[in-house]
Amino acid sequence: MTDTQTHSAADSFVFWTPPAATTLSIYEDEHYTLPEIPLPLRTADVPENVADKPSERSIGEAVYDYLCLHPEAQMAPQYADILRHAYPFLISDIGSRLLLLDLRPHDLKALQDKTALLKILLYLDSDNFGLLHKLGVAYFNLAIHPQTSADISEQLQSARHWFEKARRCSADDANNLNYIGQVCYLTGNYHQARLYWQSALVRMTTQDNQEQLRQRLDLLIQGCVPHEPLQQQLDRLAQARRLLYSGDSEQAHRIVESLVDQGDLLHELPSGELCYFIGICREKANDLAGAYEALMMAISLDDKHEKAHAALKRVAPVT
């Protein structure tokens, strides 16, 4: 084995550059020649004899695992191409995983995993409207997820980027236009949001969706918008989450109560998780009555929120 170097102890990968003309078996009488680029290997799969070639299974699994962890790595397009030619069953596995992740639309980890898998597929089909749109939706949902502690602006910029790439493939898709309008709305670009929503509205074919968007558009035209852009409020919510988990529950509570007083997040983006977080911040501040109120609201929005049910038992009034 040649040119082996450690990448990251946390990832447990090393890089191996295959010698010239190193091939993989595809079918009984067909082979694929590996490119002479550094390929990731799991440290546990590195042969004891450095002159030996790693097993074909270990090469494919390591490339796949590495791509899932680092979908924007410099060599990611080449790695995806290796999977396409030599390990098509792993590409099929991505499709299966995406279907399972779709069953967990409110799971933060599922959304994060989905972005990586979609990026891998896009290396193989860069003009696929469906993939581009789904990646935009995933980033949009990450931005508005009440559990996120990430940079909301960055998430929304990524969402807009992928929606715009999708629009270049299908300019008249109403759902995609609607989402671009939603990104504009969240960032406070209300004029752009109005234009995109008007464009989406005339292209919609489902009456329920038309009516829902028409109502939002009417409110926007009337000037009924948040006190400050929702992006900024989501940023403050993410800051409160970081503060709470770093031990500064007092400051987290102050931020949360200021957001509750504004009322925009609870009105525009209500969720069981948001109300649960409000309840936890109030519990930490010893506002048990307020915590009870927020947790009851969380359960009314999501009756299966197990953490909210557990927290409610701690703060419920003694009768």
Side-chain angles (χ1 to χ4, degrees):
M1 189 163 63
T2 62
D3 193 22
T4 303
Q5 64 185 67
T6 302
H7 172 69
S8 165
D11 290 348
S12 299
F13 288 105
V14 296
F15 279 94
W16 165 70
T17 300
T22 300
T23 61
L24 301 175
S25 301
I26 300 179
Y27 301 110
E28 186 174 337
D29 57 350
E30 187 175 348
H31 295 81
Y32 170 75
T33 301
L34 282 170
E36 294 177 50
I37 59 174
L39 301 180
L41 286 178
R42 289 287 186 187
T43 53
D45 293 329
V46 176
E48 292 185 10
N49 186 343
V50 296
D52 291 341
K53 170 187 165 184
S55 72
E56 296 190 1
R57 174 197 60 78
S58 65
I59 294 172
E61 290 179 355
V63 168
Y64 179 76
D65 290 344
Y66 185 82
L67 265 179
C68 290
L69 288 171
H70 307 284
E72 295 182 355
Q74 182 179 1
M75 296 287 183
Q78 293 95 318
Y79 294 161
D81 198 53
I82 291 172
L83 295 183
R84 185 217 311 256
H85 287 97
Y87 303 94
F89 61 93
L90 292 177
I91 297 297
S92 298
D93 182 69
I94 291 177
S96 300
R97 287 181 62 187
L98 284 170
L99 289 174
L100 292 174
L101 293 174
D102 283 342
L103 300 176
R104 297 157 52 197
H106 306 300
D107 187 306
L108 184 63
K109 181 63 166 59
L111 287 171
Q112 293 166 338
D113 290 347
K114 185 182 289 188
T115 62
L117 296 175
L118 288 168
K119 286 177 182 177
I120 296 171
L121 293 182
L122 276 166
Y123 288 127
L124 308 178
D125 192 2
S126 61
D127 294 326
N128 186 306
F129 169 81
L131 295 176
L132 292 166
H133 177 74
K134 286 181 179 180
L135 188 51
V137 172
Y139 272 111
F140 180 85
N141 288 334
L142 281 172
I144 66 172
H145 200 290
Q147 285 184 328
T148 190
S149 57
D151 185 324
I152 309 301
S153 174
E154 184 178 316
Q155 303 282 17
L156 288 175
Q157 286 175 11
S158 294
R160 178 72 181 266
H161 168 77
W162 294 108
F163 286 138
E164 291 291 0
K165 292 196 74 168
R167 188 162 71 99
R168 289 196 284 273
C169 298
S170 181
D172 293 329
D173 187 87
N175 196 29
N176 196 62
L177 292 168
N178 182 12
Y179 266 105
I180 299 176
Q182 290 189 56
V183 173
C184 294
Y185 184 83
L186 289 177
T187 56
N189 295 318
Y190 301 122
H191 177 68
Q192 283 191 9
R194 174 179 175 176
L195 294 176
Y196 278 110
W197 280 348
Q198 287 173 331
S199 184
L201 189 61
V202 299
R203 292 167 171 81
M204 282 185 171
T205 56
T206 305
Q207 188 171 355
D208 289 345
N209 291 343
Q210 285 179 325
E211 184 57 31
Q212 186 178 27
L213 184 56
R214 186 177 290 111
Q215 290 176 6
R216 294 198 70 182
L217 191 52
D218 288 344
L219 289 171
L220 180 58
I221 292 171
Q222 295 166 23
C224 300
V225 298
H227 296 83
E228 65 175 335
L230 287 171
Q231 174 189 312
Q232 296 177 25
Q233 299 185 47
L234 288 166
D235 272 326
R236 288 162 58 202
L237 179 65
Q239 180 189 11
R241 184 171 291 280
R242 291 192 296 269
L243 286 166
L244 182 69
Y245 293 140
S246 67
D248 192 349
S249 58
E250 184 178 345
Q251 181 65 11
H253 177 248
R254 279 199 292 268
I255 292 173
V256 161
E257 290 303 328
S258 71
L259 292 171
V260 171
D261 289 342
Q262 281 184 297
D264 294 321
L265 282 183
L266 284 170
H267 174 69
E268 303 247 9
L269 298 170
S271 71
E273 184 60 35
L274 172 58
C275 294
Y276 167 73
F277 183 66
I278 294 170
I280 293 301
C281 287
R282 288 176 172 175
E283 181 186 10
K284 294 284 186 180
N286 205 32
D287 176 11
L288 300 187
Y292 181 79
E293 178 186 17
L295 292 167
M296 285 295 291
M297 189 180 299
I299 291 171
S300 71
L301 291 168
D302 181 5
D303 185 53
K304 296 181 180 180
H305 200 299
E306 295 180 0
K307 291 184 178 179
H309 279 286
L312 195 59
K313 293 178 182 179
R314 298 195 301 266
V315 303
V318 178
T319 57

Coordinates of all heavy atoms in Angstrom, one line a residue, residues 21 144 151:
A21 N -3.1 1.3 -12.5 CA -3.8 0.2 -13.0 C -4.4 -0.7 -12.0 O -4.6 -1.9 -12.2 CB -2.8 -0.6 -13.9
I144 N -35.5 26.4 10.0 CA -36.6 26.7 10.9 C -36.8 25.7 12.0 O -37.7 25.8 12.8 CB -37.9 26.8 10.1 CG1 -38.3 25.4 9.5 CG2 -37.8 27.8 9.0 CD1 -39.7 25.4 8.8
D151 N -26.1 28.3 12.3 CA -26.2 29.6 11.7 C -27.4 29.7 10.8 O -27.4 29.1 9.7 CB -24.9 30.0 11.0 CG -24.9 31.5 10.5 OD1 -26.0 31.9 10.1 OD2 -23.9 32.1 10.4

